[in-house]
Amino acid sequence: MTKIIDGKKISQEIKDELKAKVLSLKAEGKKIPCLAVIQVGNDPASTVYVGNKKKACEYIGIGSKSFELKEETTQDELIKLIDELNNDDEVTGILVQLPVPKHIDEDTIIRRISPQKDVDGFHPMSVGALLIGEDGFLSCTPQGVIQLLKRSNISIEGKECVVIGRSNIVGKPMAVLLLRENGTVTVCHSKTANLKEVCKRADILVVAIGKPKMINSEYVKEGACVIDVGIHRMENNKLCGDVDYDDVAPHTSYITPVPGGVGPMTIAMLMSNCLKDA
């Protein structure tokens, strides 16, 4: 019998735990974290994400500062703002909503944010700390996947785990976090030979390939746990993931839906990162 992993419910539990933590910080008279969110341009999807982050800050009770910059903002102007926020003691976390316009170099911007305020976990120092098991901010989406598994009582230790996708934001950190939980991890990508056969070995299959409904039941071992990180808007305006949900779900023990699976967890983990050292 397939169990649907409810990311909305689990993310709400985490946000409620964080809300309680903020209340106790306030009661003890301790400093309340503050997240600064920068958006360059008015990409509609980015605007929705930024709005959701603001709402989450408000719900949990942490401070938030919002900077909506024009599309034509120069890289130097954006760097100047990041430097000011790096030096602002009130601000404990900085996030630049990606993607940025093409005339701005994403990597330069990620590296400019202080690693001590890098709540997205994208800075090379954060990634390096993750890789060698040192303390640092973890990428929000992979961290959210681990929480989905743990809070659904799905054991990772000793399991055959396959990650499809090797991006710096999801695929690579996902593989490292599964390793950290003692999973046996294989990372697949566009050049992987015999992809279906490799995926069919997986007890836990994490799909972050960026292609709508690419993964069907031919890729999935009977009784596997399937985590779908992808999100796409179809021509009929409906959302779907990288997994063909209707085809795959009957063959799984656990599966995440799209929407309502991994997506809500990303913001919950961002909030968790904001409160990490509080």
Side-chain angles (χ1 to χ4, degrees):
M1 179 73 181
T2 301
K3 288 187 180 174
I4 297 167
I5 300 175
D6 188 343
K8 277 188 185 172
K9 180 172 173 284
I10 294 170
S11 70
Q12 189 60 48
E13 287 168 9
I14 291 168
K15 285 192 283 190
D16 287 340
E17 289 165 13
L18 295 171
K19 187 176 185 176
K21 184 176 179 179
V22 171
L23 285 172
S24 74
L25 286 173
K26 285 179 177 171
E28 292 165 24
K30 291 185 176 172
K31 181 180 177 180
I32 304 303
C34 176
L35 173 66
V37 180
I38 304 169
Q39 180 183 356
V40 186
N42 53 4
D43 175 76
S46 291
T47 301
V48 170
Y49 291 140
V50 167
N52 288 340
K53 286 162 188 172
K54 284 187 210 164
K55 281 182 203 161
C57 288
E58 196 176 328
Y59 180 79
I60 289 161
I62 67 173
S64 72
K65 293 187 175 189
S66 187
F67 300 87
E68 278 101 21
L69 308 182
K70 291 177 181 173
E71 183 88 20
E72 56 271 20
T73 298
T74 66
Q75 182 165 304
D76 286 346
E77 286 169 334
L78 178 54
I79 285 170
K80 183 171 179 284
L81 174 58
I82 292 169
D83 287 346
E84 286 169 6
L85 295 171
N86 280 336
N87 293 315
D88 185 341
D89 290 338
E90 187 190 341
V91 172
T92 52
I94 302 169
L95 181 154
V96 176
Q97 183 64 43
L98 302 178
V100 287
K102 287 188 170 58
H103 64 275
I104 295 173
D105 181 59
E106 199 170 279
D107 187 52
T108 301
I109 297 309
I110 287 168
R111 288 169 182 267
R112 197 72 180 201
I113 296 168
S114 164
Q116 281 72 47
K117 298 188 180 188
D118 170 40
V119 285
D120 256 337
F122 294 164
H123 192 285
M125 283 182 69
S126 303
V127 177
L130 164 65
L131 195 61
I132 61 175
E134 288 191 356
D135 188 46
F137 288 112
L138 302 177
S139 298
C140 299
T141 300
Q143 190 184 354
V145 170
I146 297 293
Q147 284 297 315
L148 281 179
L149 293 169
K150 286 186 168 182
R151 288 173 183 250
S152 301
N153 297 312
I154 299 164
S155 172
I156 302 167
E157 187 168 331
K159 296 285 178 65
E160 189 90 45
C161 305
V162 173
V163 179
I164 314 179
R166 54 176 167 179
S167 72
N168 291 336
I169 290 173
V170 180
K172 289 176 188 171
M174 187 75 254
V176 176
L177 286 178
L178 289 165
L179 267 178
R180 193 186 269 193
E181 298 295 331
N182 300 314
T184 300
V185 183
T186 304
V187 179
C188 297
H189 44 78
S190 58
K191 302 288 188 271
T192 299
N194 305 316
L195 181 61
K196 286 182 184 176
E197 287 83 347
V198 177
C199 292
K200 280 195 95 108
R201 297 202 310 256
D203 302 308
I204 298 171
L205 180 64
V206 181
V207 186
I209 205 164
K211 294 182 179 175
K213 297 188 179 183
M214 178 183 158
I215 301 303
N216 59 30
S217 58
E218 292 174 20
Y219 291 80
V220 179
K221 178 167 89 172
E222 205 66 34
C225 167
V226 176
I227 306 289
D228 188 353
V229 179
I231 188 157
H232 312 274
R233 193 169 289 282
M234 305 303 281
E235 287 170 8
N236 60 8
N237 219 29
K238 284 191 174 177
L239 295 173
C240 76
D242 292 350
V243 174
D244 186 340
Y245 182 89
D246 293 337
D247 185 44
V248 168
H251 302 278
T252 63
S253 56
Y254 292 88
I255 191 167
T256 57
V258 176
V262 174
M265 295 299 293
T266 301
I267 288 181
M269 291 300 100
L270 172 67
M271 296 297 108
S272 178
N273 279 353
C274 288
L275 280 157
K276 178 177 170 290
D277 296 319

